[in-house]
Amino acid sequence: MNSFLSAAVIFITHTLEGITGFGSTVLALPFLNVTLGLRSAVQLLCVLSWGMALYIVARSWKHIVWKEFLFIVLWAGLGMPVGIWLFDKMPSGILCILLGTFMIATGIRGEIATLKNPEPSSASQVAARNFLMRALLFAGGIIQGAFGTGGPFVVIYSSKALPDKRVFRVTLSLLWLSMNSVRLLNWGVSGELWNCTLGTHLLWGFPVMLAGVLLGDYLHNKVSEHHFKVGVYATLIIAGIFMAVNNIIKL
């Protein structure tokens, strides 16, 4: 039963990420934490996210905005080693509740703004590269290193800097591919990665993830820019609710 529920969660969340370019890990983690345990869930989702990002980048690499990618990966990359170090040391409950609350507030704010202005602007949007945005990307790197779920912080910046849905999705996918490669390399060197438990989970998890990716990729090409933005902010709100409620219950 646990494997069936886990497979359903992976399929749904990776379909959603196939559409938007983020959200699978932060949505799936609260559920897989219950069915598989935190460490197994984080490792499984990290491997699956790496595979999914590789597929999207291979399909759409011509749309990557390298200037924005390098800016994001610089600041998020600075925070990632901190998150890796904190993974076994930090009390994650309170942090996840605060993160979830912040995600909900940001998602609601973006959703309201998008619904008020349904017509896409012809002017290119540019996210301010101020201290707050750099701090958010740095925090996203910390959360990515610790839990593999730093996307919501990065999305706040990227939704302004990368308004086109194809550019948004593939540039973020390259970021997840890069950061998860570091995470997997760290686990591989320490001998924590390849074990019987993870191998068993991948046997059923990878085909389910691939099916979700293919469906999400198909739907991505059918969704309008407006509905894409609505979906991004809705994902942020739903992920925030899941993260906050799951950790409040544990207190």
Side-chain angles (χ1 to χ4, degrees):
M1 179 60 73
N2 280 353
S3 295
F4 176 79
L5 293 175
S6 299
V9 168
I10 288 173
F11 176 76
I12 293 169
T13 55
H14 283 79
T15 297
L16 186 58
E17 178 153 342
I19 299 171
T20 64
F22 83 103
S24 64
T25 301
V26 74
L27 286 171
L29 187 58
F31 296 101
L32 298 189
N33 182 28
V34 175
T35 59
L36 304 179
L38 180 61
R39 181 170 292 276
S40 293
V42 169
Q43 289 183 340
L44 175 62
L45 290 172
C46 188
V47 175
L48 294 179
S49 178
W50 186 91
M52 178 174 189
L54 180 62
Y55 169 81
I56 293 175
V57 169
R59 287 259 299 174
S60 307
W61 62 271
K62 291 181 180 179
H63 298 293
I64 295 170
V65 178
W66 291 100
K67 182 178 179 180
E68 291 296 346
F69 166 75
L70 292 173
F71 177 77
I72 295 169
V73 81
L74 169 64
W75 288 96
L78 289 174
M80 192 170 180
V82 179
I84 293 174
W85 181 77
L86 289 175
F87 180 60
D88 293 315
K89 301 180 177 6
M90 64 187 294
S92 60
I94 299 298
L95 177 62
C96 288
I97 292 171
L98 294 174
L99 172 60
T101 303
F102 181 74
M103 289 160 58
I104 294 167
T106 302
I108 291 174
R109 180 175 178 271
E111 201 74 87
I112 291 172
T114 301
L115 293 174
K116 280 185 176 179
N117 299 283
E119 294 299 325
S121 173
S122 58
S124 176
Q125 291 176 281
V126 178
R129 293 183 174 183
N130 53 31
F131 174 79
L132 175 60
M133 289 299 173
R134 286 174 168 84
L136 286 175
L137 293 174
F138 180 79
I142 293 176
I143 303 301
Q144 183 74 22
F147 304 109
T149 61
F153 283 109
V154 177
V155 166
I156 295 169
Y157 173 82
S158 301
S159 62
K160 294 293 184 182
L162 305 167
D164 179 87
K165 66 177 184 176
R166 292 178 303 174
V167 167
F168 178 94
R169 188 179 70 150
V170 70
T171 303
L172 286 191
S173 292
L174 180 60
L175 177 67
W176 311 143
L177 179 64
S178 303
M179 299 184 80
N180 283 327
S181 293
V182 174
R183 195 69 172 106
L184 294 175
L185 180 62
N186 178 69
W187 280 330
V189 171
S190 65
E192 297 180 52
L193 182 59
W194 302 115
N195 53 68
C196 292
T197 300
L198 178 60
T200 301
H201 293 332
L202 284 174
L203 284 176
W204 55 260
F206 188 82
V208 172
M209 177 274 290
L210 183 59
V213 172
L214 293 175
L215 176 58
D217 193 35
Y218 171 78
L219 294 175
H220 173 81
N221 295 318
K222 302 295 182 181
V223 175
S224 68
E225 294 286 349
H226 171 68
H227 289 105
F228 176 79
K229 290 182 180 179
V230 170
V232 165
Y233 288 118
T235 301
L236 209 57
I237 295 169
I238 294 169
I241 292 172
F242 284 176
M243 180 169 284
V245 170
N246 182 62
N247 284 277
I248 289 172
I249 292 172
K250 292 180 181 179
L251 292 180

